[in-house]
Amino acid sequence: MRMRRMRRNQPLRDLVRETSLEPGDLIYPLFICPGKGIRNPISSMPGVFNLSVDEAVREAEEAAQLGIGGLLLFGLPETKDEQGTGAWEENGIVQQALRTLKQSPASKKLVLIADVCLCEYTSHGHCGAVTKSGDEFDVDNDPTLELLARTAVSQAKAGADVVAPSDMMDGRVSAIRKALDAAGLKQTPILSYASKFASAFYGPFREAADSAPQFGDRRSYQMDGANLREAMREIDLDIEEGADMILMKPAMPYLDVVRAARERVDVPIGAYQVSGEYSMLHAAFEKGWLDHDRAMLESLLGIRRAGADFIVTYFAKDAAKLLG
Ligand code: PBG
């Protein structure tokens, strides 16, 4: 047997290619900030910006033209408070963006996904309501559910096609499902970040979304990177509670988790190639140590091969330009 026979030229290689990668598989995250005409660069994420709503519309138009599958929206509110009011208020920054984006023809071609979490909106930077006693603090699970549900409902009312809770509170999928149904939003799907690990690779995001915890860390709600079986239990629970799709996060350091999820469940699976994965590749590109186009596409193909149906990635536009 000579394995090289089928590698001899491009048409042969194309014929036997097992995994596809298309612009429609990619979801592009956007960070929306107040103001007009604003494009503030994120220093640790070359090519990524905080965008005012009008600029986000331009990004949406370009994404639609490139055939990208959808957008994932994060918000930087004008002000923050203990409860994260900016996450659910009628005129919150993501709600404004959703209403405006929905009026753009580009939105007909894109799935608009709203990230449901409080950390960008709370003064303490945690993903839920915090109770303190002395030096100890706790992110209080059950009171947070109500705030998350309110957030998801207001985003869906403002035009989100999908809501995506990323907070890792227990029971949030069923709380959000009940609230959506009660508000007459029975057709709004939930993409749950079912398996989300407490990861150093979220570092640059916290600059982009201004969401670093002011004290402590997220290890009492996000998972320990050592635990694959626990990830499977999180996935089972979220599906039982009504998740329509699940998201695995981060992607590259956790490809085994993506693969195990793919073999275990039949719901659509996404993987999030997070900020630190993007930044570390960019750092190597800037030094000339890795080839931008090839390394980028290889990283995305690996995530698809592991079993992800779609990928949330800051490379979405760059990759779509090459693939299209
Ligand atoms: C909100 C949230 C985070 C990310 C997505 N949603 C930050 C965190 O959990 O600290 C990270 C995304 C990225 O790093 O690109 N909870």
Side-chain angles (χ1 to χ4, degrees):
M1 187 62 211
R2 292 182 185 273
M3 294 301 285
R4 289 180 54 189
R5 279 181 203 128
M6 295 305 295
R7 297 177 198 146
R8 271 180 60 229
N9 57 42
Q10 198 57 47
L12 282 171
R13 290 193 290 270
D14 287 345
L15 185 70
V16 298
R17 200 156 214 242
E18 298 174 28
T19 307
S20 69
L21 179 64
E22 289 167 22
D25 304 331
L26 308 176
I27 304 284
Y28 191 44
L30 296 182
F31 299 99
I32 318 289
C33 67
K36 249 196 154 65
I38 293 177
R39 289 180 80 82
N40 284 338
I42 315 301
S43 67
S44 52
M45 301 176 73
V48 179
F49 301 86
N50 288 339
L51 303 164
S52 50
V53 173
D54 54 324
E55 291 290 324
V57 170
R58 291 172 47 182
E59 291 290 324
E61 285 163 359
E62 194 185 350
Q65 206 183 0
L66 288 167
I68 286 171
L71 304 175
L72 175 62
L73 303 186
F74 296 95
L76 290 95
E78 200 102 50
T79 56
K80 306 187 186 225
D81 60 27
E82 287 271 310
Q83 301 262 299
T85 310
W88 67 79
E89 61 191 359
E90 171 81 21
N91 219 18
I93 187 73
V94 164
Q95 288 78 357
Q96 289 178 37
L98 285 164
R99 273 186 221 108
T100 309
L101 283 168
K102 269 290 166 197
Q103 284 162 22
S104 154
S107 70
K108 301 265 181 302
K109 295 187 178 167
L110 296 165
V111 181
L112 299 184
I113 308 174
D115 184 88
V116 180
C117 197
L118 302 182
C119 64
E120 299 121 72
Y121 307 93
T122 51
S123 44
H124 44 71
H126 279 288
C127 302
V130 165
T131 49
K132 274 185 169 165
S133 72
D135 287 349
E136 305 270 299
F137 78 96
D138 186 36
V139 176
D140 206 352
N141 196 91
D142 296 3
T144 300
L145 299 182
E146 150 73 21
L147 307 181
L148 294 168
R150 226 187 270 174
T151 302
V153 168
S154 77
Q155 291 168 338
K157 279 189 180 155
D161 299 311
V162 174
V163 291
S166 66
D167 51 282
M168 289 303 276
M169 298 300 124
D170 288 320
R172 91 271 207 211
V173 175
S174 74
I176 289 170
R177 184 71 271 155
K178 277 189 201 124
L180 288 172
D181 290 355
L185 298 158
K186 292 197 164 74
Q187 297 292 348
T188 304
I190 299 174
L191 165 63
S192 85
Y193 289 67
S195 159
K196 177 171 178 180
F197 292 92
S199 172
F201 288 92
Y202 306 150
F205 173 95
R206 292 176 189 173
E207 182 201 340
D210 185 26
S211 67
Q214 298 302 301
F215 48 84
D217 56 40
R218 303 209 202 290
R219 283 181 295 179
S220 76
Y221 43 105
Q222 298 179 352
M223 272 187 294
D224 181 345
N227 295 355
L228 175 66
R229 291 192 298 264
E230 187 184 346
M232 297 303 113
R233 294 182 68 204
E234 285 282 3
I235 289 166
D236 290 348
L237 277 170
D238 280 10
I239 293 174
E240 235 177 83
E241 289 181 30
D244 300 278
M245 302 179 278
I246 56 173
L247 195 59
M248 309 285 113
K249 179 181 174 196
M252 284 150 63
Y254 296 88
L255 290 178
D256 58 322
V257 183
V258 177
R259 168 51 48 191
R262 175 73 293 158
E263 281 167 13
R264 186 181 184 93
V265 300
D266 291 325
V267 299
I269 294 178
Y272 197 145
Q273 185 182 49
V274 301
S275 56
E277 302 178 61
Y278 176 83
S279 299
M280 75 178 172
L281 284 167
H282 260 283
F285 301 155
E286 276 173 20
K287 283 191 174 280
W289 288 350
L290 289 176
D291 178 78
H292 179 281
D293 293 354
R294 290 188 58 205
M296 169 180 71
L297 291 181
E298 189 174 334
S299 74
L300 296 169
L301 189 66
I303 298 167
R304 285 269 299 133
R305 192 188 59 246
D309 298 303
F310 56 92
I311 305 170
V312 181
T313 176
Y314 303 97
F315 286 122
K317 282 200 310 185
D318 292 343
K321 281 176 197 159
L322 289 176
L323 297 168

